[in-house]
Amino acid sequence: MKKTVFGGLCAILLGCTSTLVQAETLRLANHGQAGIDAMKSTVERIEKKLGVKVEVVEYPAPDKDYLSKLLTELGAGNGPDLFSMPSTAAVADMVEAGYLAPITAEINAWEGYKNFYDVAKKLAVSPDGETYVMPYMLGIQEIYYRKDVLDKAGISTEQPKTWDDLLVRAEEIKAKTGAYGLLFPAGISWGSGAFDEGFQHLIVGSKTPQIVTDDGKLDLTGEGVKDVFNVYKTLIDKDLMPVQPLLGPEPWVIPKYEQFPAGKLVATTCGSWCYIFDWGRESKNPIPDVTEVVGTWTVPGQSGGQFVLANLAAPWAVNADSANVELAKKALLEIGSVETQVSYAARIGNIPASKDAAADPEFQKLTELVPIHAAAENGTFLKQAAGFGTVAEGVARATDALLRKEVDAAGAQKILVDYVKETLGDEAVK
């Protein structure tokens, strides 16, 4: 929070008798032009309503670089007053470091919060029971598949019931079309996406459905974790998913933006934004009639059940060391408005956390997102804990070794466990 003093200068030049006048500036850290554009009207509203100047600081766009820059600034004590975070996984670690101001009382008293989806509210609660972030947007993820390719090949488009069903379907796709049958993001180059867009889809339906115990430890040695890595191994060993692109830079480009539109990859995990940005009207390589030819499956569980993954999408928080925490919290509530949610939905493709958005005329225009918004009512999520960022990195390393065929499922699990223990200490893992 910057403060500019004008009263002293007034007294010297004009002989004024007024007291000091302070013009305050709130600094907001954001990244990516789409996110900055989405916040434009909100910034103007904050300035008008709170009587402050808002300075938007643009940090590096890639999530990893953005988070690194943000953590450096916060650690040095000169971080912004408000900032977004790339993923839910970063929240618990930043709470542990003392960087986030609790907003539990303010957000619970805020009129707009009562109509947020329950899954958004639950995702926002940290292990200590406090809420530190505005959970205004949700990332809703499922499996997206090419209905047109399956229909042409005479392959069922019915919802797979189990992991085995899903793998059998992937094998049938490869046998009848020659295309890759299924992609779960993996590898070091994909970064946290190997966890957010891949691993977590499967773990929630495994024999280890949560990887945080009641006492906050990380349960990474369970049988379900190994079983998840075995799904990756099966896909890789049977050549059912592309491997080489995942070992290079920007591993999402070839499979998501080239192979899937061309029908050379038939099914992949993805989120609500994919209908707009990956393959829809904002794509550089759009699929014609995308909502007609691209369908969705929920992620089946190992032995049954269906799972729609929900994450907080770039949640906003207040810097605990802000010069005016209370003012920053008021600005945060403005960021949580339906207007801001719809603006982000239109530009980013994530889903508003408020049920009230369904009645908003501007949101109704986003026809690709309206049915997914309703699906958020049944969203499933992983409970968070300090160290989730390290787990995500460990999953990326473990799946990278699988891609290179250096280990089996047990070996991949050992890479994950060893990395987390080395980074966080043995006591962090159950």
Side-chain angles (χ1 to χ4, degrees):
M1 178 84 66
K2 296 179 180 177
K3 297 182 180 180
T4 306
V5 180
F6 296 104
L9 182 61
C10 174
I12 293 171
L13 296 180
L14 304 176
C16 301
T17 58
S18 63
T19 57
L20 292 180
V21 177
Q22 295 182 330
E24 296 185 298
T25 299
L26 281 173
R27 295 176 64 236
L28 274 68
N30 209 338
H31 68 302
Q33 192 58 50
I36 292 172
D37 290 344
M39 277 287 289
K40 185 176 180 181
S41 62
T42 303
V43 166
E44 293 172 353
R45 189 169 67 252
I46 290 171
E47 289 183 325
K48 183 177 181 179
K49 188 170 183 177
L50 300 183
V52 298
K53 173 67 178 174
V54 175
E55 178 188 352
V56 178
V57 184
E58 184 176 3
Y59 280 16
D63 287 350
K64 188 173 183 180
D65 294 343
Y66 169 77
L67 187 58
S68 177
K69 170 72 171 177
L70 178 61
L71 291 173
T72 299
E73 295 289 314
L74 291 171
N78 57 1
D81 298 290
L82 297 105
F83 46 86
S84 64
M85 283 169 280
S87 70
T88 312
V91 176
D93 289 337
M94 295 181 79
V95 169
E96 184 85 359
Y99 294 147
L100 309 186
I103 60 167
T104 310
E106 291 81 4
I107 202 167
N108 286 336
W110 177 49
E111 182 67 17
Y113 199 53
K114 67 181 180 182
N115 287 321
F116 274 37
Y117 281 116
D118 286 343
V119 68
K121 295 177 182 179
K122 291 174 181 177
L123 277 163
V125 177
S126 288
D128 63 1
E130 295 278 1
T131 297
Y132 294 86
V133 296
M134 170 60 71
Y136 73 129
M137 300 298 293
L138 291 167
I140 302 298
Q141 300 183 63
E142 300 176 274
I143 296 174
Y144 287 66
Y145 68 92
R146 291 292 300 267
K147 290 191 289 188
D148 54 340
V149 175
L150 296 185
D151 286 341
K152 184 178 179 180
I155 300 171
S156 173
T157 60
E158 289 186 7
Q159 168 69 45
K161 301 296 193 297
T162 64
W163 290 357
D164 285 343
D165 284 351
L166 190 61
L167 292 171
V168 167
R169 194 78 54 89
E171 290 186 65
E172 187 179 5
I173 290 168
K174 188 65 183 289
K176 291 184 176 179
T177 71
Y180 291 111
L182 179 63
L183 170 68
F184 282 96
I188 291 173
S189 295
W190 209 304
S192 61
F195 180 90
D196 294 335
E197 299 178 52
F199 182 86
Q200 70 163 345
H201 286 271
L202 294 166
I203 197 68
V204 294
S206 76
K207 297 169 187 172
T208 312
Q210 293 290 340
I211 58 173
V212 177
T213 62
D214 291 340
D215 59 359
K217 290 185 180 294
L218 297 167
D219 183 5
L220 305 177
T221 59
E223 187 177 354
V225 175
K226 184 178 71 175
D227 291 342
V228 169
F229 285 133
N230 198 50
V231 172
Y232 283 89
K233 186 176 188 302
T234 300
L235 291 170
I236 293 164
D237 288 351
K238 293 187 176 182
D239 196 29
L240 302 179
M241 73 181 232
V243 170
Q244 284 307 122
L246 306 190
L247 296 173
E250 297 187 323
W252 47 85
V253 172
I254 292 176
K256 289 285 187 74
Y257 306 153
E258 296 178 15
Q259 293 177 329
F260 192 81
K264 295 180 179 179
L265 169 65
V266 177
T268 178
T269 60
C270 213
S272 54
W273 57 88
C274 293
Y275 270 141
I276 297 176
F277 295 94
D278 289 38
W279 315 306
R281 53 184 164 81
E282 298 295 331
S283 172
K284 294 180 180 178
N285 189 19
I287 298 174
D289 301 316
V290 63
T291 55
E292 297 298 321
V293 303
V294 176
T296 60
W297 292 321
T298 57
V299 182
Q302 185 170 9
S303 302
Q306 297 180 30
F307 301 89
V308 176
L309 265 293
N311 281 315
L312 297 185
W316 281 79
V318 170
N319 184 351
D321 289 332
S322 171
N324 193 330
V325 171
E326 297 309 311
L327 184 60
K329 288 180 179 180
K330 291 179 181 178
L332 186 70
L333 296 181
E334 293 299 320
I335 292 174
S337 69
V338 169
E339 180 184 348
T340 306
Q341 293 176 41
V342 173
S343 179
Y344 263 87
R347 292 169 175 81
I348 308 296
N350 285 317
I351 299 300
S354 176
K355 298 176 186 178
D356 290 345
D360 187 279
E362 292 303 311
F363 183 66
Q364 284 296 320
K365 294 177 183 178
L366 305 175
T367 55
E368 308 95 329
L369 303 183
V370 171
I372 302 174
H373 181 251
E377 189 74 66
N378 300 313
T380 303
F381 65 98
L382 285 178
K383 293 185 293 185
Q384 302 295 299
F388 250 53
T390 300
V391 173
E393 177 64 25
V395 166
R397 290 168 180 258
T399 54
D400 199 85
L402 287 168
L403 291 171
R404 299 177 189 278
K405 297 186 177 181
E406 296 172 346
V407 295
D408 59 9
Q413 184 176 26
K414 185 176 187 303
I415 289 173
L416 169 61
V417 172
D418 288 350
Y419 179 77
V420 173
K421 285 184 175 180
E422 289 168 5
T423 306
L424 303 178
D426 290 354
E427 67 281 357
V429 179
K430 174 184 172 182

